Amino acid sequence: MNFIIYLGSFRYIIENLKGYDMKKIHYFTVSFTMMMALVFVGCSSSGGSSSSSSGGGSSSSNTLEGTAELGNLANAQVKIFEIDDNNGSLGLKWSETTSDSSTLDKIGKFNLHESELDPDKFYLYKVIGGKDWDADDDGVKDANYTENNGTIRAIVKGNDVIDIGNNFKVTMASELVYEKIAHTLKYQFDKTTFQTLLNQKAALVVKDIDSNSGVDNRDIITFDPVNNKNDLTELYKIKRDKILQLIHQGKIPFLNISSQLGAYDTAGSAFDLTISSDGTKAYVADYDNGLIIIDISDPANPVKLGSYDTAGYAFGLTISSDGTKAYVADDNNGLVIIDISDPKNPVKLGAYDTTGSALSLTLSSDEKKAYVADKANGLVIIDISDPANPVKIGSYDTAGNTGGVILSNDDTKAYVADGDNGLVIIDISDPANPVKIGSYDTAGNADSLTLSNDGTKAYVADFNNGLVVLDVSDPTNPSRLGAYDTTGYAFSITLSSDGTKAYVADNTNGLVVIDISDPANLSKLSFYNTAGAAHGLVLSSDNTKAYVADSRNGLVVIDISDPKNPAKLGAYDTAGFTYSLTLSSDGTKAYVADANNGLLIIDISDPTNPVRLGFYDTVGYAQGVTLSSDGTKAYVADANNGLVIIDISDPKNPTKLGSYDTAGNTWNICLSSDGTKAYVADLNNGLVIIDISDPTNPVRLGAYDTTGYAFSITLSNDGTKAYVADHSNGLVVIDVSDPTNPVKLSSYDTAGYARGITLSSDGTKAYVADSGNGLVVIDVSDPTNPVKLSSYDTDGDAWGVSLSSDGTKAYVADYDNGLIIIDVSDSTNPVKFGSYDISGYAYGLALSSDGTKAYVADAQNGFIVIDLTLYN
């Protein structure tokens, strides 16, 4: 219709040009030109899925459209960022809104801006919120939409967007890849290697969707949530529904999804295990429960097939290459041989009493001999060619407590983990007369070991000494190459097939993954807390799964396809036992209470590379620290040494100003707003108030015995009330308006062991880190009558707590459970937002002033810096 009107106007102009002068003709010429422009604009402005708020032009009928799809997301915001070639920073180019429609296949569409993309640049497509009209991904529009409170992202090269076109999708799969590369994008972006990284991470999430003989990022951006569910890799296929639920809730999958695939409680104490050659069965040495056989063909749902009670205590086992026999190291019952050809009905074939305590064993390559680690009896060699009648061939007393044994590739040498005797190497070329040829004292308690593929290096699980790597290329003179302290008790070890990673079963820490590519410089990649006591482990043939024998939890199956922890920014090993820390007001320095190591001052201006500036040995056992408002003095809670005041105006040379012996065991300190008084949580001595107006001569003002163990303290905004985390006594509220005569106002039993406390900004709510009970939120608006609002069980032992500046999130230092983030926007219904594993013991934490980083006091590993904005 517009086109006809414009033509009619043109005809009128032409007919009226006769008799006009040139100036008027020029006027009509300009008018005509402008109207013709309107003709073309009018003809091309026929709508589209969305419009740009910046950057590119309008949609047209041939505009390529992507789809935002958990299920199809209507009315979602889409932000398209160009990634800077040099540093990976994001520049917003266009903003869109996804389409809505009555039909499902037209929902979730948005303009890709493909014609404006640079084919050689990387782009981030970020989809926020929206209405999910196919939440169950069955391809049918739901009767009612599901609100999406989360974000999904896709990173892609411009050329791939252009090639993929209308098949481009932003999905759960692309979000998982984003979360895996977010750290690299923000801190280590290298355009020349980034595509390779994207392809590598894609292979961890999906299979080959486009059938081009390999997985790459194009498989991710064409992933169809309806038709490609079964093309997810094992972990994400199992966790798919949970991941979608988390995104709908506005949570980050990486912070909430465990790598555990499945578990089976064996009812005994699982010490060792091995896997059948086809990967469908696990054989577990289950201590007093004997041999347990478990179907693991579905790792999410392991099922017991059969068992055999060996009568002793099954510590170790191996199976024959044909999978028909199991050989069990059965403690004081010696070697037991079991027919497992029918896994539902295992039958004993024979046994041999080794006279010692059989802890583990291995077989010769021809499977005619068993080499048994027989504890105080050393190495015992048994002829098993007739499994019904095993016969001893020879033995060697190693002088230690033999716990593990492995053979050289040619079966001429046995490498023995010999307890506090370290590594012992034995010549077994004559099995009737084994001879020691070398040894190395590992300094720990060698429990088990394995060899590199070429047999030149031995990797020893050295109990409290962690992992020790030895050069055994000359077996008569082994030498140490490197070591890594796993911080727990290393019981067992296995290597990746490429020999670059060691997987250690650490009794305290679970499964610890260590980069051993440079044996002189070992570094931890990650860890997986099995929640019990990890003793033995074995890897699947493709190295994507670890099967852990956990003495308290049985068999635990863990996905290890991606061993890195991308949330960690940096760390500093303080060499002591880090209990607490605080930050300078400008956020460039961390002050760490490091137990018998005293006060450490660390430069954190570059959080990826913290550097020690100085330290002061407080003589006692530093457990807490706070700073004066001008940042020139540190007040250290120094256990039985009381309060120590340190001049930190020169952070490279801190000096003591004064101290006060509180007579108790000082754990934590809080200062009055004017900095003249210190309020000390003095454990069994309760609350102690000290005048610190003269820091060289602190003087006690008053005290109140809280009857429990005062671990932590904070003050009300007006400084008239002290809130004490009093261990088994819960929360205690004390009137300190007269510091010489503090008076109890009230208390609340938190049911756990109150160890940390903070208040909301308005002072009406107390957040208590309540060990064994998690986080407890208490209404203290009436300090004489505290009332519990809610609680959240963190699963660990909550020691410390901090609040975000807006008061909507609580960050809990949860001991061996790491850092837990809890949404407390509704104080009556706290909900877990996510968590970060730190591999040690989280005792305390501090947040940067801008809330972007968490500094966690890790008792065994120093302090850990975590980027809290990585997934924003």
Side-chain angles (χ1 to χ4, degrees):
M1 176 64 75
N2 289 342
F3 186 70
I4 295 171
I5 293 171
Y6 294 149
L7 287 179
S9 300
F10 173 60
R11 181 179 178 184
Y12 174 82
I13 292 168
I14 295 297
E15 288 179 348
N16 285 277
L17 283 176
K18 298 171 185 178
Y20 281 80
D21 62 23
M22 290 306 296
K23 189 180 288 187
K24 292 182 179 180
I25 291 174
H26 174 72
Y27 166 78
F28 284 111
T29 303
V30 172
S31 300
F32 166 72
T33 303
M34 292 176 63
M35 281 189 286
M36 286 306 294
L38 288 173
V39 169
F40 292 111
V41 171
C43 291
S44 61
S45 299
S46 55
S49 63
S50 56
S51 60
S52 302
S53 62
S54 64
S58 304
S59 302
S60 64
S61 57
N62 61 354
T63 294
L64 295 180
E65 294 181 317
T67 309
E69 193 169 355
L70 286 170
N72 298 53
L73 292 172
N75 306 125
Q77 298 177 55
V78 181
K79 295 183 181 296
I80 306 172
F81 299 87
E82 183 178 279
I83 298 175
D84 187 275
D85 287 347
N86 297 314
N87 58 23
S89 61
L90 305 179
L92 179 62
K93 299 292 288 184
W94 305 281
S95 296
E96 301 285 341
T97 302
T98 61
S99 61
D100 199 352
S101 176
S102 58
T103 57
L104 187 62
D105 63 354
K106 297 187 183 303
I107 294 175
K109 304 297 182 183
F110 62 91
N111 185 352
L112 288 171
H113 290 273
E114 83 292 338
S115 64
E116 298 154 276
L117 300 181
D118 182 334
D120 193 46
K121 284 185 174 291
F122 287 97
Y123 294 87
L124 170 66
Y125 287 77
K126 183 176 183 179
V127 179
I128 306 164
K131 301 174 181 178
D132 191 341
W133 281 103
D134 186 19
D136 56 2
D137 285 332
D138 63 354
V140 178
K141 187 179 181 184
D142 299 336
N144 298 294
Y145 67 81
T146 299
E147 192 72 39
N148 174 40
N149 295 299
T151 299
I152 51 176
R153 287 156 280 213
I155 290 185
V156 62
K157 209 166 191 178
N159 185 59
D160 285 343
V161 178
I162 296 166
D163 287 352
I164 297 298
N166 292 326
N167 292 320
F168 178 87
K169 296 179 186 294
V170 183
T171 64
M172 174 195 90
S174 63
E175 171 64 15
L176 292 172
V177 170
Y178 170 80
E179 291 179 17
K180 290 178 183 294
I181 56 87
H183 187 278
T184 301
L185 175 64
K186 189 169 183 178
Y187 296 104
Q188 299 166 320
F189 182 76
D190 181 348
K191 184 181 177 182
T192 63
T193 60
F194 196 63
Q195 185 65 55
T196 300
L197 179 66
L198 278 175
N199 295 342
Q200 290 171 347
K201 299 306 182 184
L204 300 173
V205 176
V206 297
K207 301 172 185 175
D208 185 9
I209 291 174
D210 58 12
S211 301
N212 67 348
S213 301
V215 178
D216 57 26
N217 198 46
R218 291 195 178 202
D219 293 295
I220 289 294
I221 58 175
T222 56
F223 173 82
D224 186 327
V226 175
N227 297 314
N228 295 130
K229 294 174 188 174
N230 291 326
D231 292 317
L232 290 165
T233 53
E234 197 160 39
L235 174 64
Y236 298 117
K237 191 188 299 183
I238 291 170
K239 308 277 187 178
R240 175 187 162 277
D241 289 346
K242 176 65 174 176
I243 292 170
L244 290 174
Q245 180 186 53
L246 289 167
I247 295 173
H248 282 143
Q249 292 171 348
K251 298 178 182 179
I252 304 299
F254 174 78
L255 302 183
N256 291 276
I257 291 295
S258 162
S259 293
Q260 181 173 310
L261 292 170
Y264 183 86
D265 188 347
T266 55
S269 296
F271 275 94
D272 194 17
L273 80 165
T274 191
I275 304 297
S276 61
S277 58
D278 63 1
T280 63
K281 293 182 284 292
Y283 300 86
V284 180
D286 202 39
Y287 196 59
D288 56 352
N289 208 21
L291 171 68
I292 308 293
I293 306 175
I294 302 170
D295 182 343
I296 54 171
S297 54
D298 177 3
N301 186 35
V303 178
K304 179 177 172 179
L305 291 172
S307 63
Y308 184 86
D309 187 348
T310 53
Y313 298 100
F315 274 104
L317 83 163
T318 191
I319 59 174
S320 58
S321 58
D322 63 4
T324 63
K325 293 181 285 293
Y327 300 85
V328 180
D330 203 37
D331 196 34
N332 56 0
N333 199 32
L335 169 67
V336 179
I337 306 174
I338 302 169
D339 183 342
I340 54 172
S341 53
D342 178 1
K344 295 182 179 179
N345 185 35
V347 178
K348 178 177 173 179
L349 290 172
Y352 183 86
D353 186 351
T354 54
T355 73
S357 298
L359 298 181
S360 71
L361 77 161
T362 192
L363 303 183
S364 59
S365 55
D366 62 5
E367 299 188 357
K368 292 182 179 180
K369 293 181 285 292
Y371 296 80
V372 180
D374 205 35
K375 203 171 181 180
N377 203 27
L379 175 67
V380 179
I381 307 173
I382 303 170
D383 182 341
I384 55 171
S385 54
D386 178 3
N389 186 33
V391 179
K392 178 177 173 179
I393 299 174
S395 64
Y396 184 86
D397 185 350
T398 55
N401 286 305
T402 304
V405 58
I406 192 168
L407 304 186
S408 59
N409 293 331
D410 60 3
D411 280 9
T412 63
K413 293 180 287 292
Y415 297 81
V416 176
D418 202 38
D420 56 8
N421 202 28
L423 170 69
V424 178
I425 306 175
I426 303 170
D427 183 339
I428 53 171
S429 53
D430 177 3
N433 185 34
V435 179
K436 175 180 172 180
I437 55 175
S439 64
Y440 186 90
D441 186 350
T442 53
N445 199 305
D447 209 72
S448 70
L449 77 166
T450 192
L451 296 179
S452 59
N453 292 332
D454 62 3
T456 63
K457 292 183 281 292
Y459 298 84
V460 182
D462 204 34
F463 200 58
N464 57 320
N465 199 32
L467 168 67
V468 178
V469 187
L470 303 175
D471 182 342
V472 292
S473 54
D474 177 1
T476 66
N477 185 33
S479 60
R480 174 169 154 158
L481 291 172
Y484 185 86
D485 186 353
T486 56
T487 74
Y489 300 99
F491 268 97
S492 182
I493 184 170
T494 192
L495 304 183
S496 59
S497 55
D498 63 3
T500 63
K501 293 183 282 291
Y503 297 83
V504 180
D506 184 274
N507 183 264
T508 306
N509 286 322
L511 173 65
V512 181
V513 188
I514 301 170
D515 184 340
I516 56 172
S517 53
D518 177 1
N521 186 32
L522 308 179
S523 61
K524 183 171 67 178
L525 290 172
S526 65
F527 89 110
Y528 305 86
N529 190 347
T530 56
H535 277 272
L537 79 155
V538 66
L539 304 185
S540 60
S541 58
D542 61 2
N543 282 203
T544 64
K545 294 183 283 293
Y547 299 86
V548 179
D550 187 287
S551 63
R552 289 201 287 270
N553 286 323
L555 169 68
V556 180
V557 188
I558 300 169
D559 183 298
I560 56 170
S561 55
D562 187 9
K564 292 187 178 180
N565 181 357
K568 182 175 166 182
L569 250 184
Y572 185 87
D573 187 349
T574 57
F577 203 85
T578 304
Y579 274 105
S580 176
L581 79 165
T582 192
L583 305 182
S584 59
S585 57
D586 63 2
T588 63
K589 292 181 284 293
Y591 297 84
V592 180
D594 203 41
N596 55 7
N597 210 20
L599 173 70
L600 298 187
I601 306 174
I602 300 169
D603 182 341
I604 55 172
S605 54
D606 176 3
T608 65
N609 185 35
V611 178
R612 189 173 95 170
L613 291 172
F615 78 100
Y616 185 86
D617 186 349
T618 54
V619 184
Y621 199 77
Q623 296 173 145
V625 59
T626 193
L627 303 184
S628 59
S629 58
D630 63 1
T632 63
K633 294 181 283 294
Y635 299 82
V636 179
D638 204 36
N640 56 5
N641 196 34
L643 168 68
V644 179
I645 307 174
I646 301 170
D647 182 339
I648 54 171
S649 53
D650 178 2
K652 294 181 179 179
N653 186 34
T655 56
K656 179 177 173 180
L657 291 170
S659 63
Y660 184 86
D661 186 348
T662 55
N665 193 308
T666 306
W667 262 89
N668 185 251
I669 299 165
C670 181
L671 302 185
S672 59
S673 58
D674 62 3
T676 62
K677 293 182 284 294
Y679 297 81
V680 177
D682 204 35
L683 210 64
N684 56 322
N685 203 27
L687 167 67
V688 179
I689 307 174
I690 302 171
D691 182 338
I692 54 171
S693 54
D694 178 359
T696 64
N697 185 34
V699 178
R700 173 169 158 164
L701 292 171
Y704 183 85
D705 186 350
T706 54
T707 73
Y709 293 94
F711 270 91
S712 184
I713 185 170
T714 193
L715 297 180
S716 59
N717 292 333
D718 62 4
T720 63
K721 294 177 285 294
Y723 297 83
V724 179
D726 202 39
H727 203 240
S728 57
N729 202 28
L731 168 68
V732 179
V733 187
I734 303 170
D735 183 339
V736 291
S737 54
D738 177 0
T740 64
N741 184 35
V743 178
K744 177 178 173 181
L745 290 174
S746 63
S747 64
Y748 184 86
D749 185 351
T750 53
Y753 299 97
R755 286 177 170 149
I757 185 169
T758 193
L759 297 182
S760 59
S761 58
D762 63 2
T764 62
K765 294 183 284 290
Y767 297 83
V768 179
D770 199 39
S771 181
N773 198 32
L775 175 69
V776 181
V777 187
I778 301 171
D779 183 340
V780 291
S781 55
D782 178 359
T784 64
N785 184 35
V787 178
K788 177 178 174 179
L789 292 172
S790 60
S791 64
Y792 183 88
D793 187 350
T794 54
D795 295 329
D797 289 307
W799 272 84
V801 58
S802 289
L803 284 185
S804 60
S805 57
D806 63 2
T808 62
K809 294 188 190 68
Y811 297 84
V812 178
D814 204 38
Y815 195 59
D816 58 355
N817 205 28
L819 174 65
I820 310 297
I821 307 174
I822 302 170
D823 183 340
V824 290
S825 53
D826 177 358
S827 55
T828 64
N829 183 35
V831 177
K832 180 178 174 181
F833 181 79
S835 64
Y836 296 88
D837 288 333
I838 61 167
S839 82
Y841 301 111
Y843 273 92
L845 75 154
L847 300 181
S848 59
S849 58
D850 60 5
T852 63
K853 291 180 284 291
Y855 298 83
V856 181
D858 181 344
Q860 290 190 317
N861 293 316
F863 77 85
I864 310 294
V865 188
I866 297 173
D867 184 347
L868 299 174
T869 66
L870 195 58
Y871 306 110
N872 286 0

